[in-house]
Amino acid sequence: MLFCSQQFLVFFAVVFVVYWTLDRRWARAAWMLLAVAYVGYTFASFWAPLEWALESAAHWQGWGESLGWPWGLAVSALGTTVLVRVLGVQRARVWLLLLASFCFYAAWNKWLAAIVCVTTLMDYWLARGMEASGSQPRRRVLLLLSLVVNLGLLCYFKYANFFLDSLGDALRAAGAQTSLPLLAVIVPVGISFYTFEAINYTVDVYRGRMPAERDLARFMVFILFFPHLIAGPIVRARNFLPQLHRRKRWDWYRLELGLRYFLLGLFKKLAIADRMAQFVDPVFADLSAYGTATEWLVLIAYALQIYCDFSGYSDMAVGAAHALGYKLTINFNMPYLSANLTELWQRWHISLSTWLRDYLFIPLGGTRGKAWLTARNVILTMTLAGLWHGASWNWLVWGLLQGLLLCGHRVFHAYAQGRPWLDQPLRTMPGTACRVGLTFTVFMLSLVFVRTATLAQAGTMFYRLVVPSAGQGLPMHLSGLAYTVVIVAFAHALGYRKRWLKIEASLPNPLRSCGYAALLMSALVLAPAAGKAFIYFQF
Amino acid sequence: MKHGKGLSPRRRQARALLLGAAVAFALTQAVLAVAIDDWLPILGDTVYVFRRQRLERRLGSALDRPTTVVMLGSSRTMFGFDAPRVQAQLAAQLPAPPVVHNFGVPGAGPINHRLHLERLLADGIHPDLVLVEVTPQLLLSADGIPSEKELITPTRLRRQELALLDQYHLPTRAARAEWWQRWAVPCYYYRFALVSAVSPSLLPVGATKHMGQDLDEACWRPLPSRAGALETAAHQREVVAVLQANAASLRLPLCTASCCALRDTVELCRRENIGVALVWMPEAAAFRQLYPPGTKTTIWRFLQQLQQTQGTPLIDASDWIGDDEFSNPHYLLATGAADFAQRLSRELLPLLTPCNGARGGPRP
């Protein structure tokens, strides 16, 4: 279920309305009636197969799958409206979010949704155990158990085939006549995100930075909350769990804020990322067929696509969460305006960067040791960050490259600081513009490893980027790319130093309303024929 | 929910903004929906309106009310019916030059033909002779739902056409639901047409091809002859793909709804006093051999029945043209289309002579 799909629109509308009207008796009655009518209708239409289902488990499974998430959502709404009297409105809301989040994930695969629930339950009990235990070794064992299970599942689902494949290649290269069988596993969507969330919770409880959550439903919502479940932002338990305890009140301002984020994300995804995919996909499908100029242009298009795709998803997630009364971390802060790579990683996928800093880089020693130790920590952290993104040699090289570039920047920064003749010109406006341009170009070139499937393909791309080659032109009109670049540049200019907020405050209300409507309309009009899944879903 | 007096100014402003945005969006959509239906039909059904506008222009530029011949068909017609040549041939034989127009639309079958004819009549264009292409694949179906369901997209249909298509089990349930949804967000459902109209450069290269930019004035799209085309690997692959795709569809049973639509089109012509003929377009030998033994007989029996009951002439041009004149087994090259036009003109002349001048041209 994509955020920018009709399915999600219906799903979110139902959750939103039931969520905010649970405190109204008339609304609860209406929801119960509607839910009972819907469930009854679908149940009646499946009645004949149901008799047969009692005799056949396989058929029962088919019946369950054909009902799908709307049925689950209706049952969830019915259940929570019934539970209001027993649990109170606030807890009933939490249960509604939990059940809706389960339906949201189960819309992809219900068995994987069950696995997420099982690991979440385990983390809940382990954290409770850690808190209850006075013995440090026992606490450490429980933490280790949590880490092993979470990372073990991540490795099994995501990296086992990569490992087997690479081992097979190595054996063949060594002359062995063997081929290792690959595992037939489906990678659970968003596994990297919720694994990191679970780890941050258990580690924080272990370190005593936060108490273990006592309410199971609230803890499960922290992990399963549907806006961030699939592709982040990676939320911190310390930030999110207290929000689940606060009484939620309807707030027009918050809703407006949510709508603003959601529309911005929708525009980024439909009007820019999906549109840029039309430039990018055909070229990367056959790299040797296109000329050098085309490949440079397509690389620019891909830089825009990946940024708008992921930041668009994050914005929509933040917007949807705001509409339900929750605040998620802002994940992007105009990273392409960064003047160096260190700054870029402070502005790009902020929730991942800070997670890696807090739970990997600092425990490794951070910047406390000698220069070479710091460099080792940076390279190790970024290489693992690359692997976190995907199980392939390309991602590994990309992460390693990021680490090396960050170390290179540290060295240059230290060198320049002691030399005013170098440092001062770099800090002027033209110097900063050059640094921004260079940072963007370097990052954009590193994205070749991200978009290509193999190192050989990446090599082909680099070769054609450097050595002038003839070939086909762009699969789209150049002006389409030019317009998009101008729009993104203009948006960055408006967003720079919060200029937009000052302009917005001076605009009359009707104009701002029309602006929202225009933003939604342009996102819908510019959406290409075939919508694409979010790039970061694969992580 | 908290409403009314207790709200802080910031929250009151947010509420006004949200409600204003909702109203602005809804109003824009309503205006757009009305505009597409009443003033900008080209956004609704570009394929039809483009061809109709061309025909209107040609009829408008004629000095007198010309005899009008329209051929309704699929892509076979679009590529294979050399309307200018047929027009020239007929002009030499008739007292006044006629207007011959190609109304071939890729994927169109009997139901689209009926739809297009109804629309032409409703739009005030009254042809003197309508040639209806018989597309065998589109008279067959696996499940009784006409094969051309893909082309009956909700965004193309006008309100009154839903009832018309209902008798042919179209549009499908999902498409019917989508027909209603398009009213809610026309900017999304008509986005392709909107972008094509405002800034075509935002679309992929060649995306507007099907909209008619490469058709000639009579809406014929000639396929140029390619030197040694038959020998190229790409061409061979195309031929195999066409044959494979059609081999499966030609094994299906006759579709009652599609046959009904064809019969209704003929009846409509009779009611409207329009001359009508059925044309089985030329096919290469490889394509003709695809028909399983029973299929062609079944289709042929249905067409003969139509011929007997309605008195509709049936022009079987399936074997008129040699294999060298085809781009693929069922698309004629421009040279093949010229040969087809020569022979078809001779067949059409007797159909036009009694009606020439007897009927008016386009009605206002």
Side-chain angles (χ1 to χ4, degrees), chain A residues 91-130:
Chain A
R91 287 199 66 204
R93 279 181 177 156
V94 171
W95 273 96
L96 176 67
L97 286 183
L98 174 59
L99 295 170
S101 299
F102 183 82
C103 291
F104 179 78
Y105 200 95
W108 269 293
N109 189 312
K110 62 179 185 299
W111 298 113
L112 295 179
I115 289 179
V116 183
C117 290
V118 170
T119 56
T120 308
L121 274 172
M122 183 207 69
D123 287 320
Y124 171 78
W125 288 113
L126 289 176
R128 292 287 304 272
M130 267 188 259

Side-chain angles (χ1 to χ4, degrees), chain A residues 6 24 250-253 255-256 259 275 475-477 479 483 509 512-513 520-521 524-529, chain B residues 1-2 10-11 13-15 17-18 20-21 24-25 28-29 181 187-189 191 195 201-205:
Chain A
Q6 282 183 355
R24 304 286 161 141
W250 176 261
D251 185 344
W252 284 102
Y253 177 71
L255 187 63
E256 190 225 329
L259 182 78
R275 188 152 288 282
M476 298 271 290
H477 299 281
S479 52
Y483 289 146
N509 270 0
R512 286 172 66 187
S513 291
L520 176 57
M521 256 190 75
L524 294 175
V525 169
L526 292 172
Chain B
M1 280 187 224
K2 195 177 177 182
R10 193 175 72 163
R11 286 179 172 76
Q13 189 191 30
R15 185 178 64 179
L17 275 174
L18 284 172
F25 183 74
T28 325
Q29 298 311 300
Q181 286 167 16
C187 73
Y188 180 74
Y189 285 96
R191 64 192 187 281
V195 175
S201 66
L202 287 175
L203 296 171
V205 174

Side-chain angles (χ1 to χ4, degrees), chain A residues 8-129:
Chain A
F8 182 76
L9 188 72
V10 175
F11 170 86
F12 189 73
V14 173
V15 173
F16 178 81
V17 177
V18 176
Y19 183 84
W20 287 114
T21 53
L22 272 178
D23 53 350
R24 304 286 161 141
R25 194 174 293 171
W26 61 266
R28 286 204 298 274
W31 288 124
M32 275 173 66
L33 272 175
L34 275 174
V36 165
Y38 180 75
V39 170
Y41 168 74
T42 49
F43 198 70
S45 52
F46 281 99
W47 185 248
L50 181 63
E51 287 172 4
W52 172 240
L54 295 173
E55 297 165 23
S56 158
H59 199 86
W60 173 264
Q61 185 183 331
W63 180 74
E65 273 172 8
S66 59
L67 286 175
W69 62 267
W71 199 80
L73 190 61
V75 172
S76 308
L78 179 63
T80 41
T81 46
V82 171
L83 282 173
V84 167
R85 196 167 278 276
V86 183
L87 299 172
V89 174
Q90 294 313 315
R91 287 199 66 204
R93 279 181 177 156
V94 171
W95 273 96
L96 176 67
L97 286 183
L98 174 59
L99 295 170
S101 299
F102 183 82
C103 291
F104 179 78
Y105 200 95
W108 269 293
N109 189 312
K110 62 179 185 299
W111 298 113
L112 295 179
I115 289 179
V116 183
C117 290
V118 170
T119 56
T120 308
L121 274 172
M122 183 207 69
D123 287 320
Y124 171 78
W125 288 113
L126 289 176
R128 292 287 304 272

Side-chain angles (χ1 to χ4, degrees), chain B residues 204-337:
Chain B
V205 174
T208 52
K209 239 178 199 173
H210 78 282
M211 299 173 101
Q213 275 79 344
D214 49 357
L215 301 178
D216 76 353
E217 194 55 26
C219 291
W220 173 49
R221 186 174 163 199
L223 283 176
S225 302
R226 289 170 295 181
L230 287 169
E231 283 73 39
T232 64
H235 181 258
Q236 286 304 322
R237 277 202 299 275
E238 186 192 340
V239 169
V240 170
V242 167
L243 291 176
Q244 278 177 347
N246 285 285
S249 59
L250 286 173
R251 278 196 287 271
L252 302 173
L254 208 58
C255 174
T256 316
S258 299
C259 292
C260 259
L262 187 57
R263 188 181 295 121
D264 292 347
T265 307
V266 170
E267 278 176 5
L268 176 65
C269 289
R270 290 282 170 235
R271 271 204 311 278
E272 293 287 332
N273 203 21
I274 298 168
V276 57
L278 302 175
V279 181
W280 192 306
M281 290 294 284
E283 292 165 349
F287 197 95
R288 293 200 301 274
Q289 284 161 9
L290 281 182
Y291 293 98
T295 304
K296 194 155 187 176
T297 318
T298 314
I299 299 173
W300 201 246
R301 201 176 295 141
F302 162 70
L303 295 174
Q304 280 176 331
Q305 195 186 15
L306 206 59
Q307 194 178 17
Q308 283 161 9
T309 54
Q310 303 286 335
T312 317
L314 173 59
I315 302 168
D316 180 10
S318 58
D319 56 358
W320 282 8
I321 309 294
D323 286 0
D324 293 346
E325 302 293 345
F326 284 88
S327 167
N328 74 38
H330 65 158
Y331 286 167
L332 284 171
L333 290 168
T335 48

